[in-house]
Amino acid sequence: MERRSRETAALFRHLPLVAIGSDGRTTRLTPRRISRYPDGMPHRGPLLAALAGLLALAAAAIPAAAQPAACLAPAAIADADVTRNAEALADPVLCLSERFVADAGGPWHLVVVTNTETPGPLWAVPHDEEDEAFDAGVRAVRLYGGTMIAVENADARLVGGRDPNQHFALTAEAAAPCLATGGASPAYVGAFLADWDRRFPIVGLHANWDGYRDAGGLGDISVRRPDVKMIPFPSAAATGRLADEDTIVMLVSRTLPEENPAGRAAIDWFNERGVHVIYRHVTPQNNGCTLADYLTLNAVGPYVSIEVEHGDPDTADTLVDIVVEYLRRPDFPGML
Ligand SMILES: [Zn+2]
């Protein structure tokens, strides 16, 4: 029996439920007695009240993070990204909420946008200075459903000097190899993934600066940059903005591409569609405690991310559409 229903059942057992009849006599309510009166229950009124009470108690057992928060109006959230997207975020199918989490590296302020009608991926936006990622996430959650989770940090990247996308470790041991982390942050990880519908993958949304440092550019993301962990697979078919070295889809796996037929096929699938790929080969030794590394090393779930150059929001939308096409493939491989 699933854990939550075990808890509810346990709650059920301990709760002395009584029904007070119209004649004032009390009747002890047990699961068996309730199941005996599916309809034509003699004490419908008090019985329903008792059940409502039970449901309220059961709801209380649901961890706070997973409870649907009250939906907020865009104006109620102090976040420039929300203000910039206020019109789109006013869409009635969307529910805005926010979470404050005290944990290592924090405190963390998370903004959550849920499509209340259409289930779908978790759209992850850990970097608050990447406006293109936030804007693409708002469009994606409206168009393709699911939930967007974004770190709010007054448009700055680092929270307390730490990268929010290098903080996915549940234990001190798991955090140990990750130099940039502020230690284990299970509450942060829990809150970040709380709304993830595990029937769907997680899609990371990112933007980066032109070129890469070693070649006189900025940042570290480029399909021109040779790297044994972030293995580049440029597409010969790429044109226009998709040909830009900073515009890529990132796949992640614990297996080297040459030993991973599904990984190889996924690289080819994107390259054939004119999309550059960076294949992140993660191991316990090179773990950076990123969301990608955490999900993959712990076999938690499938992850793919997009990167575009700062100032190129349209290409972020183009990559999101292509990634959704990839996720919707009947032979979608899941984790690579
Ligand atoms: Zn980023």
Side-chain angles (χ1 to χ4, degrees):
M1 180 195 270
E2 187 252 334
R3 185 174 63 79
R4 182 141 332 121
S5 46
R6 264 204 309 275
E7 278 171 1
T8 313
L11 262 176
F12 215 107
R13 265 195 306 283
H14 298 310
L15 191 69
L17 288 179
V18 295
I20 304 161
S22 51
D23 58 1
R25 275 181 328 109
T26 59
T27 314
R28 183 175 171 78
L29 285 174
T30 62
R32 205 166 62 77
R33 183 182 294 275
I34 289 173
S35 63
R36 255 174 63 206
Y37 296 101
D39 53 5
M41 292 185 285
H43 304 297
R44 193 181 298 271
L47 188 61
L48 289 175
L51 276 177
L54 177 74
L55 287 171
L57 268 175
I62 297 171
Q67 279 177 354
C71 302
L72 302 170
I77 298 184
D79 178 345
D81 299 309
V82 169
T83 309
R84 187 177 61 253
N85 288 277
E87 196 188 329
L89 291 169
D91 183 333
V93 306
L94 299 180
C95 175
L96 262 69
S97 59
E98 52 188 352
R99 227 164 260 142
F100 298 89
V101 184
D103 204 349
W108 304 97
H109 179 187
L110 302 173
V111 169
V112 184
V113 183
T114 298
N115 188 315
T116 58
E117 288 183 1
T118 310
L122 183 73
W123 308 94
V125 183
H127 294 134
D128 196 21
E129 92 288 12
E130 296 172 3
D131 294 356
E132 301 79 4
F134 191 98
D135 299 354
V138 172
R139 173 182 173 274
V141 76
R142 290 180 80 192
L143 215 49
Y144 301 118
T147 293
M148 177 173 95
I149 181 105
V151 170
E152 161 51 21
N153 189 40
D155 278 350
R157 181 182 186 84
L158 304 181
V159 175
R162 302 194 183 281
D163 185 324
N165 197 32
Q166 294 182 21
H167 242 279
F168 290 88
L170 299 182
T171 63
E173 189 205 353
C178 309
L179 307 174
T181 181
S185 33
Y188 168 65
V189 175
F192 201 97
L193 298 177
D195 301 278
W196 173 30
D197 181 338
R198 296 186 179 228
R199 296 171 297 172
F200 297 88
I202 296 181
V203 181
L205 304 171
H206 293 272
N208 64 86
W209 296 107
D210 187 27
Y212 63 101
R213 257 183 281 267
D214 307 351
L218 299 165
D220 300 311
I221 299 290
S222 166
V223 79
R224 308 268 173 250
R225 188 172 79 99
D227 189 279
V228 291
K229 176 177 181 178
M230 301 283 277
I231 309 167
F233 291 92
S235 164
T239 59
R241 289 302 302 159
L242 286 180
D244 179 84
E245 67 178 295
D246 307 298
T247 302
I248 62 111
V249 161
M250 190 184 84
L251 303 173
V252 57
S253 175
R254 288 177 291 181
T255 312
L256 284 164
E258 56 270 24
E259 296 162 10
N260 186 350
R264 186 67 251 190
I267 294 164
D268 294 344
W269 189 91
F270 281 105
N271 279 173
E272 280 155 21
R273 284 160 182 77
V275 175
H276 297 320
V277 170
I278 288 179
Y279 184 101
R280 187 177 180 95
H281 174 231
V282 60
T283 65
Q285 293 70 39
N286 69 21
N287 177 17
C289 289
T290 65
L291 179 57
D293 292 355
Y294 166 75
L295 294 169
T296 308
L297 279 176
N298 301 290
V300 176
Y303 176 89
V304 58
S305 66
I306 72 155
E307 288 270 3
V308 295
E309 192 179 342
H310 278 290
D312 190 8
D314 296 345
T315 306
D317 295 342
T318 304
L319 282 183
V320 163
D321 296 344
I322 296 171
V323 163
V324 167
E325 194 190 332
Y326 167 72
L327 302 180
R328 286 179 171 172
R329 283 169 48 198
D331 58 348
F332 168 62
M335 293 192 71
L336 296 174

